[in-house]
Amino acid sequence: MTPRDTIAAVATAPGAGGIGIVRLSGADAARIGHALCGIALQPRHAHYAKLSDATAALIDSGLVLWFPAPHSFTGEDVVELQIHGAPIVLARLLARCVELGARPARAGEFSERAFLNGKIDLTQAEAIADLIAAQSDAQARAALRSLQGEFSARVQALLNALIDARLHVEAAIDFPEEEIDFLADGQILAKLDAISVALDALLADAERGQRLRDGLHAVIIGAPNAGKSSLLNALAGSDRAIVTDIAGTTRDLLREAVNIDGIEITLVDTAGLRDALDVIESEGIRRARTELARADLALLVLAPDDEQRIDTLRAEVPEGVALLVVHNKSDLVDRHSGHSHDPSEHVHVAATTGAGLDDLRAAIRRHAGLGEGTDGGFSARARHVVALRQVHAALARARARLVIDQAGELVAEELRIAQQALSEITGEFTTDDLLGVIFSSFCIGK
């Protein structure tokens, strides 16, 4: 149910000397705005006014703007009060708004009302929070694309195609006496295959958008003394890990957050993988394998003497974890004297001198889906990727049912499941619990 009360919050407060904004939204916003400034407000006009408290004492002077419903961000009457940004002045103005009948807004409540009033969908609401939290140009551009509806439009196109296929299936079920067997004529299968192609592309872009938003979890693995800790230090730009010539120096996990061309990377240095007799080192190796199972990317570091063990070390990387082979200590060998490697999967570096690190950074960007010629696409969240994977699984089951036994009812049910999962992304179908989690992560005033 759309809320009817009026909320107020400090939308932004850059500090003393800057501009602060107190925003009102709801049925009483215009009345409260008029009571504060004492002048008749014209829609979408900036009014310079003196804002007073209950005793007519001046709180501050500033600009007052009124946006009547439904032509506002929230779809309700909205009043913005732009004054000096001193925290004490903003606090007094907010308190006066509450005295006049508003209540303090919850975190994210303005965006939540915009969603509930149909001004934005759920992905656009989340993009607002992503834009506020952006720490790089790439993240900001991706969030803006989602806010402008790029992600939503692709989801909606997929949803329309899915509904069309579902209607086709249900028509075949409802009219079994027709001479044409619609389940076997190939049209439905062609529709499902076309949806799957579009879905695969959207899922790949959403996974890239999630990596851009949340960062990449990269685990450095390899044999002892391959230079894993030196590589961590080189990428981090500081001596975070202890480096010695003694094999097995690293016993536990060491994490370091680095930024590579706008991508947040969590690098994890691990114990060298070998059959260790030492109890402590064995525990470190166990933790390394556990961490590797949760990684987005494995950086397999090889010293020249480890090249013959590459297949054994590759086998340590679980299915689903991307792999980049880093041939370290390339300054000690002739890299052209051995096997030629695919440059998209192999990088030659010298961690102690810095040689090849730019190539490694570029390779990490490619694994994050941000190679040359790409600029980040749209922002996405883990829940979006999970939903799209659910759609993928449901479509696969529907196709199998159609091809194997032409069970129309089962095909229709799988398509219904896929449609519901897609609708959860934009909020056409969602739960109050999900909305509570999403909007509670916003800041006050947004």
Side-chain angles (χ1 to χ4, degrees):
M1 181 178 177
T2 303
R4 300 297 301 167
D5 58 345
T6 299
I7 56 175
V10 177
T12 179
I19 296 175
I21 297 176
V22 172
R23 181 179 297 154
L24 295 153
S25 181
D28 287 334
R31 177 187 63 79
I32 295 173
H34 174 73
L36 284 166
C37 65
I39 62 176
L41 300 178
Q42 299 299 315
R44 292 172 296 281
H45 281 68
H47 305 80
Y48 179 75
K50 296 180 179 181
L51 306 175
S52 304
D53 64 15
T55 66
L58 181 66
I59 297 175
D60 198 4
S61 298
L63 297 181
V64 182
L65 297 95
W66 174 40
F67 303 93
H71 305 295
S72 69
F73 172 70
T74 63
E76 305 170 338
D77 280 358
V78 169
V79 170
E80 287 195 358
L81 309 164
Q82 300 180 10
I83 62 171
H84 297 95
I88 186 62
V89 177
L90 288 166
R92 288 183 62 202
L93 181 57
L94 181 60
R96 179 57 179 151
C97 291
V98 172
E99 288 177 359
L100 290 169
R103 66 166 174 80
R106 302 188 309 271
E109 192 169 1
F110 286 90
S111 297
E112 182 179 10
R113 289 185 176 213
F115 166 72
L116 293 174
N117 289 321
K119 304 298 288 187
I120 56 176
D121 65 27
L122 204 51
T123 59
Q124 291 173 302
E126 291 167 309
I128 294 171
D130 293 343
L131 181 60
I132 294 170
Q135 297 182 346
S136 69
D137 288 341
Q139 288 177 332
R141 288 194 298 268
L144 277 172
R145 289 190 182 90
S146 283
L147 181 56
Q148 291 167 350
E150 180 175 324
F151 187 18
S152 304
R154 292 180 62 180
V155 170
Q156 189 60 51
L158 202 59
L159 187 59
N160 292 340
L162 193 58
I163 292 172
D164 179 62
R166 183 181 171 190
L167 291 175
H168 201 133
V169 171
E170 293 184 352
I173 297 171
D174 291 340
F175 301 100
E177 69 279 359
E178 294 293 327
E179 294 181 3
I180 300 175
D181 187 350
F182 292 104
L183 291 176
D185 69 357
Q187 291 189 43
I188 297 176
L189 185 60
K191 289 177 184 290
L192 295 186
D193 288 344
I195 293 171
S196 294
V197 171
L199 175 62
D200 288 343
L202 182 58
L203 178 56
D205 288 345
E207 289 174 336
R208 182 178 67 180
Q210 184 196 353
R211 288 193 295 269
L212 180 61
R213 177 187 181 273
D214 297 340
L216 198 68
H217 183 199
V219 176
I220 305 173
I221 63 168
N225 230 15
K228 299 184 297 300
S229 297
S230 296
L231 184 66
L232 174 72
N233 289 342
L235 289 173
S238 62
D239 292 335
R240 291 287 292 115
I242 298 173
V243 177
T244 73
D245 293 331
I246 302 172
T249 298
T250 301
R251 300 294 187 94
D252 203 353
L253 304 178
L254 179 61
R255 303 174 191 274
E256 181 70 7
V258 301
N259 187 294
I260 297 179
D261 297 333
I263 308 170
E264 289 295 323
I265 311 288
T266 300
L267 289 173
V268 185
D269 188 18
T270 63
L273 300 176
R274 64 176 177 178
D275 294 328
L277 297 177
D278 184 286
V279 174
I280 298 177
E281 187 180 356
S282 295
E283 174 60 18
I285 294 172
R286 185 196 68 78
R287 294 186 182 188
R289 289 176 172 137
T290 299
E291 188 73 12
L292 183 57
R294 303 191 301 109
D296 298 312
L297 173 65
L299 299 177
L300 172 55
V301 182
L302 298 176
D305 293 340
D306 300 325
E307 296 288 343
Q308 67 275 13
R309 295 188 56 200
I310 185 171
D311 291 337
T312 301
L313 293 168
R314 274 180 182 271
E316 294 278 359
V317 181
E319 184 178 354
V321 177
L323 174 65
L324 181 61
V325 181
V326 183
H327 301 267
N328 193 24
K329 306 181 182 180
S330 60
D331 54 330
L332 304 181
V333 296
D334 180 2
R335 56 177 281 189
H336 300 290
S337 62
H339 299 289
S340 60
H341 297 299
D342 183 348
S344 66
E345 299 179 359
H346 297 258
V347 180
H348 294 262
V349 305
T352 55
T353 67
L357 288 182
D358 286 342
D359 292 338
L360 176 57
R361 293 187 182 98
I364 292 174
R365 277 182 57 85
R366 289 194 297 271
H367 275 277
L370 295 171
E372 294 182 6
T374 64
D375 56 6
F378 54 80
S379 64
R381 296 189 172 200
R383 77 171 191 90
H384 304 148
V385 173
V386 169
L388 289 173
R389 287 173 180 167
Q390 290 172 344
V391 176
H392 189 280
L395 275 178
R397 293 193 299 267
R399 192 183 193 284
R401 291 294 187 185
L402 184 63
V403 171
I404 295 172
D405 51 21
Q406 295 183 12
E409 291 83 358
L410 297 178
V411 174
E413 175 60 16
E414 294 297 348
L415 295 182
R416 184 195 67 79
I417 293 172
Q419 180 182 341
Q420 180 172 304
L422 265 183
S423 297
E424 288 179 353
I425 293 177
T426 57
E428 291 182 37
F429 174 85
T430 189
T431 65
D432 290 340
D433 288 343
L434 176 60
L435 293 181
V437 170
I438 289 173
F439 288 108
S440 66
S441 66
F442 283 46
C443 59
I444 300 293
K446 297 299 181 183

